[in-house]
Amino acid sequence: MTEAIVYDVVVLGAGPVGENVADRARAGGLSTAIVESELAGGECSYWACMPSKALLRPVIARADARRVPGLCHAVQGPLDTAAVLAHRDNYASHWKDDGQAAWIASIGADLYRGHGRLAGPRTVTVTAADGTVTTLSARHAVAVCTGTRAALPNLPGLADAKPWTSREATSADHVPARLVVVGGGVVGTEMATAWQALGSQVTVLVREKGLLSRMEPFAGELVTDALREAGADVRTSVSVTAVERNGTTVSVTLDDGSTLEADEILFATGRAPRTDDIGLESVGLEPGSWLGVDDTLRVDGSEWLYAVGDVNRRALLTHQGKYQARTAGAAITARAAGVPLQASDRWAAHVATADHGAVPQVVFTDPEAASAGLTLAEAQTAGHRVRAVDYDLANVAGSGLYADGYTGRARMVVDLDREILLGVTFVGPGVGELIHAATVAIASEVPMDRLWHAVPAYPTVSEVWLRLLETYRG
């Protein structure tokens, strides 16, 4: 057997999470290898965050412009599809990772291209495209940052129907005349918004009673109204029982016996961890499983194995995975140096506690839906004594200036015992840029009476904070 190449840290996966683990480990003086089987930069850069938002930005900008007097009549025509797709291609770096690979080299980490698998404690083998196998050994830590893949249901005919997943939906080079979207979460609603605006006749099929079921109920309601107004057909409490492709047409059978015809079908029905073929069995773990971790991102029961980002199922969001990566990098570096971890303070550098109650998210639909922390239902389930405070965003002066006929809603969830915020949700045009203030307030546990002195600028949409606080005070 070829002698192993020794590093302090070996990272499986060169997406944003793996890159950040490697960056923090290198900043701490640890030698680091990073292994990638596809493109350095990962799902977010090529098939998720960046291309999807590049598709959506012209859609949202046009929608906003259509609500502004003096401008609305100038933007009534269709989007320039070729220009939108070219814009998307640029943001996906034309699916080439030269820039990402150069960045990895710039931080002093070594990039190994090939399929990485654990081969026992602290050992990783990398099989390159030509079959060459390289063995890497980690002195201190191996970090699994392999992310997730689209989870497809077990439906008759699905494999032969060649369905879209999030990858095809964000990288398609043509606009299907008819698109069925199965699933009402973030991917489903965002891609329904994008492709309907680009010219598809979109039908959204959702098993739940509404869209965006993990957010406050009004978020899904307002997004549903907007999709229908845009021309999409949104059907709730319905399931797909079979799919069949005949040439260029997809036939979709529903649980009520009815059928739909489409040119493409997108399944946005959840994610599964990319852990099925990374050698977990060699260290006593179940292949294909989610990896449970403590707040330092170390796998339960292990002293050297870390699972960072989507694979631990704490918060399947790029920004949250990068936050975890910064935490994991700090913890790995401290342990390698024999420095005691700051684990008793839940807001210290070595713990990723924001995962439990201060997670922000923006859904880039029209209207946008943005949230941070807990929903009312989540707070009640967790046993908190809470009060929900709601406000109509249309009644804020800045909203009326932002758009004629502005429609939106805001909610803050207040812990009545501690007088702090547990959650905030905004729905409306442009609200994504409001949510970081909520994240700061929640993570900092700012008392409600101190928030009263955080004065929002007039006339901005952020004045909703004052209106929420006035409503709370009564």
Side-chain angles (χ1 to χ4, degrees):
M1 178 180 291
T2 304
E3 185 174 350
I5 304 172
V6 180
Y7 290 88
D8 292 321
V9 180
V10 177
V11 180
L12 282 179
V17 175
E19 288 178 332
N20 273 266
V21 172
D23 183 42
R24 290 299 83 208
R26 287 295 300 130
L30 302 180
S31 61
T32 304
I34 186 165
V35 182
E36 178 54 56
S37 61
E38 293 187 293
L39 296 176
E43 199 82 9
C44 175
S45 299
Y46 308 105
W47 301 287
C49 314
M50 298 309 291
S52 67
K53 278 41 178 192
L55 283 173
L56 285 158
R57 179 59 195 146
V59 173
I60 302 304
R62 182 182 66 166
D64 284 345
R66 284 178 169 177
R67 302 182 182 106
V68 179
L71 181 59
C72 55
H73 295 299
V75 289
Q76 290 304 313
L79 291 165
D80 183 339
T81 301
V84 173
L85 296 183
H87 175 65
R88 182 273 318 274
D89 292 352
N90 286 335
Y91 268 88
S93 301
H94 298 273
W95 292 274
K96 296 178 181 178
D97 67 357
D98 297 7
Q100 297 278 357
W103 181 85
I104 291 170
S106 76
I107 66 170
D110 292 338
L111 174 62
Y112 288 83
R113 294 187 180 275
H115 183 70
R117 301 183 85 256
L118 290 163
R122 293 184 171 86
T123 303
V124 172
T125 59
V126 185
T127 305
D130 63 2
T132 303
V133 178
T134 303
T135 301
L136 308 177
S137 178
R139 292 189 187 93
H140 299 293
V142 174
V144 177
C145 309
T146 49
T148 59
R149 56 175 172 78
L152 292 173
N154 184 19
L155 286 176
L158 185 57
D160 293 334
K162 299 179 181 178
W164 280 8
T165 67
S166 53
R167 286 198 168 194
E168 290 77 19
T170 55
S171 63
D173 61 3
H174 68 285
V175 179
R178 300 165 298 173
L179 173 65
V180 170
V181 177
V182 184
V186 177
V187 173
T189 54
E190 287 189 347
M191 290 299 93
T193 298
W195 290 107
Q196 178 70 33
L198 285 167
S200 290
Q201 175 54 57
V202 172
T203 301
V204 182
L205 306 175
V206 188
R207 287 189 303 177
E208 291 82 9
K209 294 180 180 179
L211 304 183
L212 299 175
S213 60
R214 295 187 178 183
M215 301 184 83
E216 296 286 6
F218 62 83
E221 293 165 4
L222 289 172
V223 171
T224 298
D225 291 344
L227 280 169
R228 286 173 173 160
E229 184 178 347
D233 179 6
V234 181
R235 307 185 190 185
T236 59
S237 301
V238 63
S239 295
V240 176
T241 58
V243 180
E244 182 181 6
R245 182 176 287 276
N246 297 302
T248 60
T249 301
V250 178
S251 178
V252 185
T253 304
L254 306 181
D255 54 358
D256 62 2
S258 64
T259 60
L260 290 171
E261 301 294 321
D263 299 281
E264 301 289 353
I265 184 168
L266 162 63
F267 275 84
T269 49
R271 308 291 295 179
R274 289 182 178 273
T275 60
D276 51 309
D277 189 22
I278 62 167
L280 289 183
E281 66 280 1
S282 72
V283 292
L285 296 171
E286 182 68 28
S289 64
W290 302 96
L291 298 176
V293 296
D294 62 21
D295 280 342
T296 70
L297 289 312
R298 190 163 61 176
V299 172
D300 296 336
S302 177
E303 295 184 352
W304 57 272
L305 185 62
Y306 291 72
V308 193
D310 284 8
V311 291
N312 61 40
R313 211 180 191 177
R314 287 162 69 106
L316 276 66
L317 296 160
T318 295
H319 50 270
Q320 214 65 23
K322 292 164 71 174
Y323 159 73
Q324 292 178 13
R326 296 189 293 271
T327 300
I332 290 168
T333 301
R335 286 182 171 127
V339 175
L341 266 62
Q342 302 167 11
S344 58
D345 179 356
R346 67 191 185 96
W347 296 114
H350 300 138
V351 286
T353 45
D355 288 344
H356 303 306
V359 175
Q361 180 173 23
V362 179
V363 185
F364 292 83
T365 46
D366 176 36
E368 290 178 349
S371 66
L374 305 180
T375 64
L376 174 61
E378 288 170 340
Q380 291 172 331
T381 299
H384 298 288
R385 192 171 68 90
V386 293
R387 175 185 166 192
V389 181
D390 293 335
Y391 196 79
D392 185 346
L393 265 167
N395 292 332
V396 177
S399 301
L401 290 168
Y402 190 97
D404 270 8
Y406 191 105
T407 300
R409 187 171 170 185
R411 167 174 289 179
M412 64 182 188
V413 179
V414 182
D415 183 323
L416 296 175
D417 294 319
R418 293 187 291 162
E419 285 285 308
I420 61 172
L421 289 177
L422 295 179
V424 176
T425 298
F426 300 122
V427 182
V431 298
E433 297 300 335
L434 296 180
I435 203 61
H436 189 59
T439 308
V440 171
I442 293 167
S444 302
E445 299 181 345
V446 180
M448 296 297 290
D449 57 1
R450 179 63 61 85
L451 275 178
W452 184 256
H453 297 281
V455 182
Y458 180 86
T460 64
V461 182
S462 62
E463 199 180 15
V464 68
W465 281 102
L466 173 59
R467 303 306 170 209
L468 285 166
L469 290 165
E470 287 176 333
T471 303
Y472 178 67
R473 283 193 164 194

